Amino acid sequence: MILVGELAGLPPGESVRVQGEVAIAVFNVDGELYAIDDTCSHQDASLSDGWLEGCAVECPLHAACFDLRTGQPSGPPAKKPVRTHAVSIEDGVIYVHESTRVTVGGAVAEEVG
């Protein structure tokens, strides 16, 4: 488990970057928390610095968009998904449970780490 911080410190519409085996971005979408690998699968850019719109984040470098629920890109320039990670809240503190694989349609697409 990776400690993210206090829930009160991550208001809706905001994101934070934490370090696991790789950098992970945690987003608050209207009170729902999502975590994905922070690095865009197209080029080396931080998704936590991107623009949040609904359950998608747009990469600040080349505008690739990723679904926060699945990690899937919506289209070019990104072609590969990013990993998603489970998020939990215990006593007002956010934790990320780092995943070891990328899934596509419920099937393992790639082992990471």
Side-chain angles (χ1 to χ4, degrees), residues 86-106:
V87 180
S88 63
I89 302 168
E90 297 177 21
D91 298 321
V93 177
I94 305 167
Y95 295 92
V96 169
H97 307 266
E98 193 167 7
S99 175
T100 59
R101 57 187 82 193
V102 174
T103 59
V104 177

Side-chain angles (χ1 to χ4, degrees), residues 34-82:
Y34 299 94
I36 61 173
D37 282 352
D38 186 52
T39 304
C40 178
S41 63
H42 170 245
Q43 280 197 328
D44 191 22
S46 173
L47 294 174
S48 62
D49 291 336
W51 296 275
L52 187 61
E53 188 168 324
C55 279
V57 63
E58 181 179 318
C59 176
L61 193 56
H62 292 115
C65 289
F66 295 88
D67 187 312
L68 298 176
R69 298 164 294 196
T70 65
Q72 292 296 313
S74 62
K79 296 177 183 167
K80 293 182 179 180
V82 293

